[in-house]
Amino acid sequence: MELMFIAVLSSLSVVISAGESNVIGSREPVKVVVGDDVILPCHLEPPFNVKNQTVEWTFNNSIVHVYRNRKDKLVDQDQKFKGRTSLFPDEMTRGNISLKLTNVTEQDAGNYTCYVPKLHSQISKGNVTLIVEPVKDHSGIITIVVAAIIVAAIIVAAIIVAVKKPMQRS
């Protein structure tokens, strides 16, 4: 009787956890510079092991990443994301379904959705907005610094010449 009670109780806790977990994206936009890597945050709250669940990431109705049956399923992945996405399998037991996107391009900017289809909760999708900033052009600053160094070198040379001339006359 006691063993049956524990089995029923543990089954009940799994159902309650699965039913009560919501998918949470990011309230704030995530910013990244072109060429950098970024993590698009998404998790279940309260935490729930999604290792045996399907997890889907989409962008403008195209497939970014799919995880199913404990494996990445990237056959239908949009070509522009090929080889640039990954999840964190070791973290999925704690409800972390964040997506890592590498070598970000300007075309990656926009709204992403993380989705757990078989999650029995009111919120099975989370959203993340990615803002991609261009690489900052430092060429203007570098030009000014180089020019300042050259001017400083000319001034120092002129001072040295001016100081040596009176010494040579003596």
Side-chain angles (χ1 to χ4, degrees):
M1 177 73 174
E2 187 175 308
L3 185 59
M4 189 171 122
F5 177 72
I6 291 171
V8 169
L9 188 59
S10 65
S11 298
L12 186 60
S13 68
V14 169
V15 172
I16 289 171
S17 295
E20 291 180 0
S21 290
N22 290 320
V23 178
I24 309 295
S26 178
R27 292 182 188 140
E28 298 296 320
V30 175
K31 293 182 181 181
V32 65
V33 174
V34 169
D36 285 353
D37 299 348
V38 68
I39 294 174
L40 303 179
C42 194
H43 67 279
L44 276 76
E45 201 171 281
F48 173 68
N49 183 353
V50 290
K51 205 130 179 155
N52 295 319
Q53 300 284 323
T54 296
V55 175
E56 298 175 359
W57 275 89
T58 58
F59 173 78
N60 294 338
N61 296 322
S62 63
I63 296 172
V64 175
H65 197 100
V66 174
Y67 175 92
R68 184 179 298 120
N69 298 327
R70 298 179 154 261
K71 294 180 184 172
D72 294 321
K73 303 290 183 181
L74 306 176
V75 176
D76 297 324
Q77 184 181 42
D78 187 302
Q79 197 63 32
K80 74 178 192 172
F81 294 106
K82 291 269 186 214
R84 300 193 305 127
T85 64
S86 60
L87 299 179
F88 300 89
D90 295 340
E91 294 288 319
M92 294 176 84
T93 56
R94 293 184 284 279
N96 183 355
I97 55 174
S98 298
L99 177 79
K100 181 175 182 181
L101 179 61
T102 60
N103 195 23
V104 173
T105 68
E106 288 181 9
Q107 291 75 32
D108 294 331
N111 297 314
Y112 289 77
T113 301
C114 51
Y115 177 49
V116 181
K118 293 185 179 177
L119 192 64
H120 305 291
S121 68
Q122 291 182 353
I123 304 172
S124 60
K125 293 182 180 185
N127 297 303
V128 181
T129 299
L130 181 63
I131 296 174
V132 180
E133 298 175 342
V135 176
K136 293 192 170 87
D137 182 14
H138 296 292
S139 61
I141 293 171
I142 292 171
T143 302
I144 291 170
V145 169
V146 169
I149 291 171
I150 292 171
V151 168
I154 292 171
I155 292 172
V156 168
I159 291 172
I160 291 172
V161 169
V163 168
K164 282 192 172 184
K165 278 191 179 182
M167 286 183 177
Q168 288 175 351
R169 290 185 188 153
S170 322

